[in-house]
Amino acid sequence: MNRLSTLTNGLVKENPVLVSLLGICPVLAVSTQAANAIGMGLATTFVLLGANIAVALLRNVIPDKVRIPCYIVLVAGFVTLAQMVTEAYAYPLYLSLGIFLPLITTNCIILFRAEIFAKKNTVADSAIDALGMGAGFTLAMLAMASIREILGSGTWFGIPLPVLADDNISIFTMAPGGFVIFGILIAIVNKVSKGKAIKKKEFGCAGCPSAANCQKGGAA
């Protein structure tokens, strides 16, 4: 049951996008087309899975003082692999994602899960956590992209929809529309979870993995 909870936490309760509010830049930029959202979600999940497994395997080897630079190097390696595979086998998607594909290296979700979970748990648990968080990230992106594409372009996965194809609301393909949909989805998640998904105590110094190294956290 613990592993099942780990797998499902990323879907709603600890959704990295709609609850933790991490990785917002690619979510808003790429979520104009559902196909792009799926591609970005799968690429991020692959990198997250590889990074979590690598950190869990090397957690007793990597010196604590240089763990963050080491994590970034590991993540960059998996991002490079994902980028090469996408370019070789899904070139249109590679062009659509553009700079946001290599920028997965700096995605806060990946470093956050490596720091908060993978370095403290087994390889199996870290892999399950990565799959759950990756699924939550992908579903959040797909939900945003579907709404924005349907309303803004009158299509879904590039397929024209009756009526909407001729009477679309183009603002939803722009930044303002993205922020509106993003806010609505956050409100829906908060409503469905009855406010339990977001707890104020989770944002304090006590919940920070670096609190011990922070003068403010240490003083608190």
Side-chain angles (χ1 to χ4, degrees):
M1 289 301 295
N2 289 335
R3 288 186 172 178
L4 178 60
S5 176
T6 299
L7 181 64
T8 57
N9 274 348
L11 300 180
V12 176
K13 185 179 179 181
E14 297 180 18
N15 188 283
V17 176
L18 302 178
V19 176
S20 299
L21 304 182
L22 299 173
I24 305 305
C25 182
V27 170
L28 292 172
V30 178
S31 62
T32 55
Q33 298 288 324
N36 292 348
I38 292 290
M40 177 60 78
L42 292 177
T44 303
T45 301
F46 168 77
V47 175
L48 184 57
L49 179 62
N52 264 23
I53 292 175
V55 170
L57 284 171
L58 300 172
R59 58 181 174 155
N60 296 322
V61 178
I62 299 175
D64 190 60
K65 290 184 178 180
V66 295
R67 67 186 188 281
I68 300 301
C70 291
Y71 294 168
I72 294 174
V73 171
L74 290 172
V75 172
F78 287 108
V79 170
T80 301
L81 180 58
Q83 188 176 2
M84 293 171 65
V85 171
T86 305
E87 184 177 8
Y89 297 102
Y91 192 66
L93 177 63
Y94 172 80
L95 293 178
S96 296
L97 297 181
I99 190 62
F100 294 100
L101 187 55
L103 281 179
I104 293 175
T105 304
T106 60
N107 194 314
C108 299
I109 298 171
I110 299 170
L111 293 177
F112 180 74
R113 298 317 299 179
E115 174 73 6
I116 203 73
F117 194 94
K119 80 167 188 175
K120 302 175 184 177
N121 292 276
T122 65
V123 173
D125 288 337
S126 298
I128 292 172
D129 175 74
L131 291 174
M133 291 295 161
F137 177 79
T138 304
L139 288 175
M141 280 205 66
L142 179 60
M144 273 198 66
S146 295
I147 296 172
R148 294 182 68 186
E149 183 180 358
I150 290 172
L151 296 179
S153 302
T155 62
W156 193 55
F157 283 98
I159 302 173
L161 300 176
V163 180
L164 291 174
D166 296 323
D167 298 308
N168 51 67
I169 309 171
S170 60
I171 193 173
F172 284 107
T173 63
M174 305 176 188
F179 278 106
V180 169
I181 299 301
F182 184 53
I184 291 174
L185 289 178
I186 291 174
I188 291 174
V189 168
N190 201 26
K191 179 67 176 179
V192 169
S193 66
K194 297 180 180 180
K196 295 180 181 179
I198 302 175
K199 299 179 181 178
K200 292 183 180 179
K201 65 179 182 181
E202 294 178 358
F203 297 92
C205 291
C208 177
S210 299
N213 301 321
C214 175
Q215 291 183 355
K216 181 179 178 180

